[in-house]
Short mmCIF file of all heavy atoms in Angstrom, two decimals:
data_model
loop_
_atom_site.label_atom_id
_atom_site.label_comp_id
_atom_site.label_asym_id
_atom_site.label_seq_id
_atom_site.Cartn_x
_atom_site.Cartn_y
_atom_site.Cartn_z
N PRO B 117 2.23 45.49 -7.02
CA PRO B 117 2.25 44.03 -7.19
C PRO B 117 2.35 43.30 -5.84
O PRO B 117 3.08 43.73 -4.97
CB PRO B 117 3.51 43.78 -8.03
CG PRO B 117 4.35 45.02 -7.94
CD PRO B 117 3.42 46.14 -7.64
N GLY B 118 1.59 42.24 -5.74
CA GLY B 118 1.59 41.40 -4.54
C GLY B 118 2.58 40.26 -4.75
O GLY B 118 3.47 40.31 -5.55
N PRO B 119 2.32 39.15 -4.00
CA PRO B 119 3.26 38.04 -4.12
C PRO B 119 3.18 37.36 -5.53
O PRO B 119 2.20 37.50 -6.21
CB PRO B 119 2.75 37.06 -3.04
CG PRO B 119 1.39 37.50 -2.68
CD PRO B 119 1.31 38.95 -2.96
N LEU B 120 4.19 36.60 -5.79
CA LEU B 120 4.30 35.91 -7.09
C LEU B 120 3.23 34.82 -7.21
O LEU B 120 3.06 33.98 -6.32
CB LEU B 120 5.66 35.27 -7.20
CG LEU B 120 6.14 34.85 -8.59
CD1 LEU B 120 6.18 36.00 -9.51
CD2 LEU B 120 7.56 34.26 -8.43
N VAL B 121 2.44 34.88 -8.27
CA VAL B 121 1.41 33.85 -8.48
C VAL B 121 1.88 32.83 -9.51
O VAL B 121 1.92 31.67 -9.32
CB VAL B 121 0.05 34.47 -8.97
CG1 VAL B 121 -0.99 33.42 -9.15
CG2 VAL B 121 -0.45 35.49 -7.95
N ILE B 122 2.29 33.41 -10.62
CA ILE B 122 2.69 32.57 -11.76
C ILE B 122 4.18 32.70 -12.00
O ILE B 122 4.70 33.84 -12.10
CB ILE B 122 1.92 32.92 -13.03
CG1 ILE B 122 0.49 32.34 -12.90
CG2 ILE B 122 2.59 32.38 -14.27
CD1 ILE B 122 -0.46 32.90 -13.94
N ASP B 123 4.86 31.58 -12.09
CA ASP B 123 6.28 31.61 -12.34
C ASP B 123 6.65 30.47 -13.29
O ASP B 123 6.76 29.36 -12.86
CB ASP B 123 7.08 31.49 -11.06
CG ASP B 123 8.61 31.62 -11.27
OD1 ASP B 123 8.99 31.87 -12.39
OD2 ASP B 123 9.35 31.41 -10.28
N ILE B 124 6.78 30.80 -14.61
CA ILE B 124 7.16 29.75 -15.52
C ILE B 124 8.55 30.01 -16.09
O ILE B 124 8.96 31.14 -16.21
CB ILE B 124 6.13 29.56 -16.69
CG1 ILE B 124 6.07 30.77 -17.53
CG2 ILE B 124 4.78 29.15 -16.16
CD1 ILE B 124 5.24 30.53 -18.73
N GLU B 125 9.30 28.96 -16.23
CA GLU B 125 10.70 29.06 -16.66
C GLU B 125 10.89 28.13 -17.84
O GLU B 125 10.64 26.90 -17.75
CB GLU B 125 11.60 28.54 -15.54
CG GLU B 125 11.85 29.55 -14.49
CD GLU B 125 12.61 28.82 -13.28
OE1 GLU B 125 13.63 28.20 -13.54
OE2 GLU B 125 12.10 28.84 -12.18
N ASP B 126 11.26 28.69 -18.94
CA ASP B 126 11.75 27.91 -20.07
C ASP B 126 10.76 26.83 -20.49
O ASP B 126 11.14 25.71 -20.77
CB ASP B 126 13.10 27.25 -19.66
CG ASP B 126 13.95 27.10 -20.86
OD1 ASP B 126 13.72 27.81 -21.87
OD2 ASP B 126 14.89 26.27 -20.84
N VAL B 127 9.52 27.27 -20.57
CA VAL B 127 8.50 26.26 -20.90
C VAL B 127 8.34 26.10 -22.35
O VAL B 127 8.33 26.99 -23.12
CB VAL B 127 7.15 26.72 -20.24
CG1 VAL B 127 5.98 26.10 -21.00
CG2 VAL B 127 7.10 26.29 -18.81
N THR B 128 8.32 24.79 -22.81
CA THR B 128 7.99 24.50 -24.20
C THR B 128 6.83 23.58 -24.28
O THR B 128 6.45 22.92 -23.31
CB THR B 128 9.18 23.74 -24.88
OG1 THR B 128 9.28 22.43 -24.23
CG2 THR B 128 10.47 24.49 -24.72
N LYS B 129 6.21 23.68 -25.42
CA LYS B 129 5.04 22.75 -25.66
C LYS B 129 5.11 22.30 -27.12
O LYS B 129 5.12 23.12 -28.05
CB LYS B 129 3.66 23.49 -25.44
CG LYS B 129 2.48 22.63 -25.60
CD LYS B 129 2.33 21.67 -24.42
CE LYS B 129 1.25 20.60 -24.71
NZ LYS B 129 1.10 19.69 -23.57
N LEU B 130 5.13 21.00 -27.28
CA LEU B 130 5.11 20.42 -28.63
C LEU B 130 3.84 19.73 -28.91
O LEU B 130 3.28 19.06 -28.00
CB LEU B 130 6.27 19.39 -28.74
CG LEU B 130 7.71 19.82 -28.45
CD1 LEU B 130 8.63 18.62 -28.78
CD2 LEU B 130 8.08 20.98 -29.29
N TYR B 131 3.34 19.87 -30.08
CA TYR B 131 2.23 19.03 -30.50
C TYR B 131 2.68 18.16 -31.65
O TYR B 131 3.38 18.63 -32.52
CB TYR B 131 1.05 19.86 -31.06
CG TYR B 131 0.32 20.59 -29.90
CD1 TYR B 131 0.44 22.00 -29.74
CD2 TYR B 131 -0.45 19.91 -28.99
CE1 TYR B 131 -0.23 22.65 -28.71
CE2 TYR B 131 -1.10 20.58 -27.96
CZ TYR B 131 -1.00 21.94 -27.85
OH TYR B 131 -1.65 22.56 -26.83
#
Side-chain angles (χ1 to χ4, degrees):
Chain B
L120 196 59
V121 180
I122 285 168
D123 183 5
I124 62 175
E125 278 170 55
D126 210 19
V127 154
T128 66
K129 183 75 191 180
L130 302 185
Y131 288 110

